[in-house]
Coordinates of all heavy atoms in Angstrom, one line a residue:
C12 N 0.8 -1.2 0.0 CA 0.0 0.0 0.0 C 0.9 1.2 0.0 O 1.8 1.4 0.8 CB -0.9 0.0 1.2 SG -2.1 -1.4 1.3
V13 N 0.7 2.2 -0.9 CA 1.5 3.4 -1.0 C 1.2 4.3 0.2 O 0.0 4.6 0.4 CB 1.1 4.1 -2.3 CG1 1.9 5.4 -2.4 CG2 1.4 3.2 -3.5
N14 N 2.2 4.5 0.9 CA 2.1 5.4 2.1 C 1.1 4.9 3.1 O 0.4 5.7 3.8 CB 1.8 6.8 1.7 CG 2.9 7.5 0.9 OD1 4.1 7.2 1.2 ND2 2.6 8.3 0.0
N15 N 0.9 3.5 3.1 CA -0.1 2.9 4.0 C -1.5 3.3 3.7 O -2.4 3.2 4.6 CB 0.2 3.2 5.5 CG 1.5 2.5 5.9 OD1 1.8 1.4 5.5 ND2 2.3 3.3 6.7
N16 N -1.8 3.8 2.5 CA -3.1 4.2 2.1 C -3.8 3.0 1.5 O -3.5 2.5 0.5 CB -3.0 5.3 1.0 CG -4.3 5.9 0.6 OD1 -5.3 5.3 0.9 ND2 -4.3 7.0 0.0
R17 N -4.9 2.6 2.2 CA -5.6 1.4 1.8 C -6.5 1.6 0.6 O -7.2 0.7 0.1 CB -6.4 0.8 3.0 CG -5.5 0.3 4.1 CD -6.2 -0.8 4.9 NE -7.4 -0.3 5.6 CZ -8.2 -1.0 6.3 NH1 -8.0 -2.3 6.4 NH2 -9.3 -0.5 6.9
K18 N -6.4 2.8 0.0 CA -7.1 3.1 -1.3 C -6.1 3.0 -2.4 O -6.4 3.1 -3.6 CB -7.7 4.5 -1.3 CG -8.9 4.6 -0.4 CD -9.6 6.0 -0.6 CE -10.8 6.1 0.3 NZ -11.5 7.4 0.1
R19 N -4.8 2.7 -2.0 CA -3.7 2.6 -3.0 C -2.9 1.3 -2.8 O -1.7 1.4 -2.6 CB -2.9 3.8 -3.0 CG -3.6 5.1 -3.3 CD -2.7 6.3 -3.2 NE -1.7 6.3 -4.3 CZ -0.6 7.1 -4.4 NH1 -0.5 8.1 -3.4 NH2 0.2 7.0 -5.4
C20 N -3.6 0.2 -2.8 CA -3.0 -1.1 -2.5 C -3.0 -2.0 -3.7 O -3.9 -1.9 -4.5 CB -3.7 -1.8 -1.3 SG -3.7 -0.9 0.2
T21 N -2.0 -2.8 -3.8 CA -2.0 -3.9 -4.8 C -1.5 -5.2 -4.2 O -0.8 -5.2 -3.2 CB -1.0 -3.5 -6.0 OG1 0.3 -3.3 -5.5 CG2 -1.5 -2.3 -6.7
T22 N -2.0 -6.3 -4.7 CA -1.5 -7.6 -4.3 C -1.2 -8.4 -5.5 O -2.0 -8.6 -6.4 CB -2.6 -8.3 -3.5 OG1 -3.0 -7.5 -2.4 CG2 -2.1 -9.7 -3.0
P23 N 0.1 -9.0 -5.5 CA 0.4 -9.9 -6.6 C -0.2 -11.3 -6.5 O -0.3 -11.8 -5.3 CB 1.9 -10.0 -6.6 CG 2.2 -9.7 -5.1 CD 1.2 -8.8 -4.6
M24 N -0.7 -11.9 -7.5 CA -1.3 -13.2 -7.5 C -0.5 -14.1 -8.5 O 0.0 -13.6 -9.5 CB -2.8 -13.1 -8.0 CG -3.6 -12.1 -7.2 SD -3.9 -12.6 -5.5 CE -4.8 -14.1 -5.7
A25 N -0.5 -15.4 -8.2 CA 0.1 -16.4 -9.1 C -0.8 -17.6 -9.2 O -1.4 -18.0 -8.2 CB 1.5 -16.7 -8.5
H26 N -0.7 -18.2 -10.4 CA -1.5 -19.4 -10.7 C -0.7 -20.5 -11.3 O 0.1 -20.2 -12.3 CB -2.7 -19.1 -11.6 CG -3.5 -20.3 -11.9 ND1 -3.6 -20.8 -13.2 CD2 -4.3 -21.1 -11.1 CE1 -4.4 -21.9 -13.2 NE2 -4.9 -22.0 -12.0
W27 N -0.7 -21.7 -10.8 CA 0.0 -22.9 -11.3 C -1.0 -23.7 -12.1 O -2.1 -24.1 -11.6 CB 0.5 -23.7 -10.2 CG 1.1 -25.0 -10.6 CD1 0.5 -26.3 -10.5 CD2 2.4 -25.3 -11.1 NE1 1.4 -27.2 -10.9 CE2 2.6 -26.6 -11.3 CE3 3.5 -24.4 -11.5 CZ2 3.7 -27.2 -11.9 CZ3 4.7 -25.0 -12.0 CH2 4.8 -26.4 -12.2
N28 N -0.7 -24.0 -13.4 CA -1.6 -24.7 -14.3 C -1.2 -26.2 -14.5 O -1.8 -26.9 -15.3 CB -1.8 -24.0 -15.6 CG -0.5 -24.0 -16.4 OD1 0.5 -24.6 -16.0 ND2 -0.4 -23.3 -17.5
G29 N -0.2 -26.6 -13.7 CA 0.2 -28.0 -13.8 C 1.6 -28.1 -14.4 O 2.3 -29.1 -14.2
T30 N 2.0 -27.1 -15.2 CA 3.3 -27.1 -15.8 C 4.1 -25.8 -15.5 O 5.3 -25.8 -15.5 CB 3.2 -27.3 -17.3 OG1 2.4 -26.3 -17.9 CG2 2.6 -28.7 -17.6
S31 N 3.4 -24.7 -15.4 CA 4.1 -23.4 -15.2 C 3.2 -22.4 -14.4 O 2.0 -22.6 -14.2 CB 4.4 -22.8 -16.5 OG 3.2 -22.5 -17.3
W32 N 3.8 -21.3 -14.0 CA 3.2 -20.3 -13.2 C 2.8 -19.1 -14.1 O 3.5 -18.8 -15.1 CB 4.0 -19.7 -12.1 CG 4.3 -20.7 -11.0 CD1 5.4 -21.5 -10.8 CD2 3.5 -20.9 -9.8 NE1 5.3 -22.2 -9.7 CE2 4.1 -21.8 -9.0 CE3 2.3 -20.3 -9.4 CZ2 3.6 -22.3 -7.8 CZ3 1.8 -20.8 -8.2 CH2 2.4 -21.7 -7.4
S33 N 1.7 -18.5 -13.9 CA 1.4 -17.2 -14.5 C 1.0 -16.2 -13.4 O 0.6 -16.6 -12.3 CB 0.2 -17.3 -15.4 OG -1.0 -17.8 -14.8
D34 N 1.2 -14.9 -13.6 CA 1.0 -14.0 -12.5 C 0.0 -12.9 -13.0 O -0.2 -12.7 -14.1 CB 2.3 -13.4 -12.0 CG 3.1 -12.7 -13.1 OD1 2.6 -12.6 -14.2 OD2 4.3 -12.3 -12.8
S35 N -0.6 -12.2 -12.0 CA -1.5 -11.1 -12.2 C -1.5 -10.2 -11.0 O -0.8 -10.5 -10.0 CB -2.9 -11.7 -12.4 OG -3.4 -12.4 -11.3
T36 N -2.2 -9.1 -11.0 CA -2.2 -8.1 -9.9 C -3.6 -7.7 -9.7 O -4.4 -7.4 -10.7 CB -1.3 -6.9 -10.2 OG1 0.0 -7.4 -10.5 CG2 -1.3 -5.9 -9.1
V37 N -4.0 -7.5 -8.5 CA -5.3 -6.9 -8.1 C -5.1 -5.7 -7.3 O -4.1 -5.6 -6.5 CB -6.2 -7.9 -7.3 CG1 -6.7 -9.0 -8.2 CG2 -5.5 -8.4 -6.1
H38 N -5.9 -4.7 -7.5 CA -5.7 -3.4 -6.8 C -6.5 -3.3 -5.5 O -7.4 -2.6 -5.3 CB -6.1 -2.3 -7.8 CG -5.2 -2.2 -9.0 ND1 -4.0 -1.6 -8.9 CD2 -5.4 -2.7 -10.2 CE1 -3.4 -1.7 -10.1 NE2 -4.2 -2.4 -10.9
I39 N -6.1 -4.2 -4.6 CA -6.7 -4.3 -3.3 C -5.7 -5.1 -2.4 O -4.9 -5.9 -2.9 CB -8.0 -5.0 -3.3 CG1 -8.7 -5.0 -1.9 CG2 -7.9 -6.5 -3.8 CD1 -10.1 -5.7 -1.9
A40 N -5.7 -4.8 -1.1 CA -4.9 -5.6 -0.2 C -5.7 -6.8 0.2 O -6.8 -6.8 0.8 CB -4.7 -4.8 1.1
V41 N -5.3 -8.0 -0.4 CA -6.0 -9.2 -0.2 C -5.9 -9.7 1.2 O -4.8 -10.0 1.7 CB -5.6 -10.3 -1.2 CG1 -6.2 -11.6 -1.0 CG2 -5.9 -9.8 -2.7
D42 N -7.0 -10.0 1.9 CA -7.0 -10.6 3.2 C -7.1 -12.1 3.1 O -6.5 -12.8 4.0 CB -8.2 -10.1 4.0 CG -8.1 -8.6 4.5 OD1 -6.9 -8.1 4.5 OD2 -9.1 -8.0 4.9
A43 N -7.9 -12.6 2.2 CA -8.2 -14.0 2.2 C -8.4 -14.5 0.8 O -8.9 -13.8 -0.1 CB -9.4 -14.4 3.1
L44 N -8.1 -15.8 0.5 CA -8.2 -16.4 -0.8 C -8.9 -17.8 -0.6 O -8.5 -18.5 0.4 CB -6.8 -16.6 -1.4 CG -6.6 -17.6 -2.5 CD1 -7.2 -17.1 -3.8 CD2 -5.1 -17.9 -2.7
S45 N -9.8 -18.1 -1.4 CA -10.5 -19.4 -1.3 C -11.0 -19.8 -2.6 O -11.3 -19.0 -3.5 CB -11.6 -19.3 -0.3 OG -12.3 -20.6 -0.2
G46 N -11.2 -21.1 -2.8 CA -11.7 -21.6 -4.1 C -12.2 -23.1 -3.9 O -11.7 -23.8 -3.0
S47 N -13.0 -23.5 -4.9 CA -13.4 -25.0 -4.9 C -13.0 -25.6 -6.2 O -12.9 -26.8 -6.2 CB -14.9 -25.0 -4.7 OG -15.6 -24.4 -5.7
A48 N -12.9 -24.8 -7.3 CA -12.6 -25.4 -8.6 C -12.3 -24.2 -9.5 O -12.6 -23.1 -9.2 CB -13.8 -26.3 -9.1
A49 N -11.9 -24.5 -10.7 CA -11.7 -23.5 -11.7 C -13.0 -22.7 -11.9 O -14.0 -23.3 -12.1 CB -11.2 -24.1 -13.0
G50 N -12.9 -21.4 -11.9 CA -14.1 -20.6 -12.1 C -14.8 -20.2 -10.8 O -15.8 -19.5 -10.8
N51 N -14.3 -20.8 -9.7 CA -14.9 -20.4 -8.4 C -13.8 -20.2 -7.4 O -13.6 -20.8 -6.4 CB -15.8 -21.5 -7.9 CG -16.6 -21.1 -6.6 OD1 -17.2 -20.0 -6.7 ND2 -16.6 -21.9 -5.6
V52 N -13.0 -19.2 -7.7 CA -11.9 -18.7 -6.9 C -12.2 -17.3 -6.5 O -12.4 -16.4 -7.4 CB -10.5 -18.8 -7.6 CG1 -9.4 -18.3 -6.7 CG2 -10.3 -20.3 -8.1
W53 N -12.1 -17.0 -5.2 CA -12.5 -15.7 -4.7 C -11.4 -15.1 -3.8 O -10.6 -15.9 -3.2 CB -13.7 -15.8 -3.8 CG -15.0 -16.1 -4.4 CD1 -15.3 -17.2 -5.2 CD2 -16.2 -15.3 -4.4 NE1 -16.6 -17.2 -5.6 CE2 -17.2 -16.0 -5.2 CE3 -16.5 -14.1 -3.9 CZ2 -18.5 -15.5 -5.4 CZ3 -17.8 -13.6 -4.1 CH2 -18.8 -14.3 -4.8
I54 N -11.3 -13.8 -3.8 CA -10.4 -13.1 -2.9 C -11.3 -11.9 -2.3 O -12.2 -11.4 -2.9 CB -9.2 -12.5 -3.5 CG1 -9.5 -11.7 -4.8 CG2 -8.2 -13.6 -3.9 CD1 -8.3 -11.0 -5.4
V55 N -11.0 -11.6 -1.0 CA -11.7 -10.5 -0.4 C -10.7 -9.6 0.4 O -9.6 -10.1 0.7 CB -12.8 -11.0 0.6 CG1 -13.9 -11.7 -0.1 CG2 -12.2 -11.9 1.7
G56 N -11.0 -8.4 0.6 CA -10.2 -7.5 1.4 C -11.1 -6.2 1.8 O -12.3 -6.2 1.6
V57 N -10.4 -5.2 2.3 CA -11.0 -4.0 2.7 C -10.4 -2.8 2.0 O -9.2 -2.7 1.9 CB -10.9 -3.8 4.2 CG1 -11.5 -2.4 4.6 CG2 -11.6 -4.9 5.0

């Protein structure tokens, strides 16, 4: 978070597909990650 400002946060994300990693970024400080299968993966934060 830039200057501890929770309106200016980013969190890096990574995904393994069985052979390699891919990465992405979300513009939120992620508190929690959960999923059950492809297409049902969630993240939440404040």
Side-chain angles (χ1 to χ4, degrees):
C12 299
V13 177
N14 297 324
N15 295 319
N16 184 344
R17 292 205 298 178
K18 290 185 177 180
R19 301 179 65 188
C20 298
T21 58
T22 302
M24 306 291 297
H26 178 248
W27 172 261
N28 64 7
T30 58
S31 63
W32 291 95
S33 59
D34 55 8
S35 57
T36 301
V37 291
H38 295 280
I39 185 179
V41 173
D42 287 342
L44 163 70
S45 180
S47 63
N51 191 48
V52 180
W53 290 61
I54 53 177
V55 294
V57 176

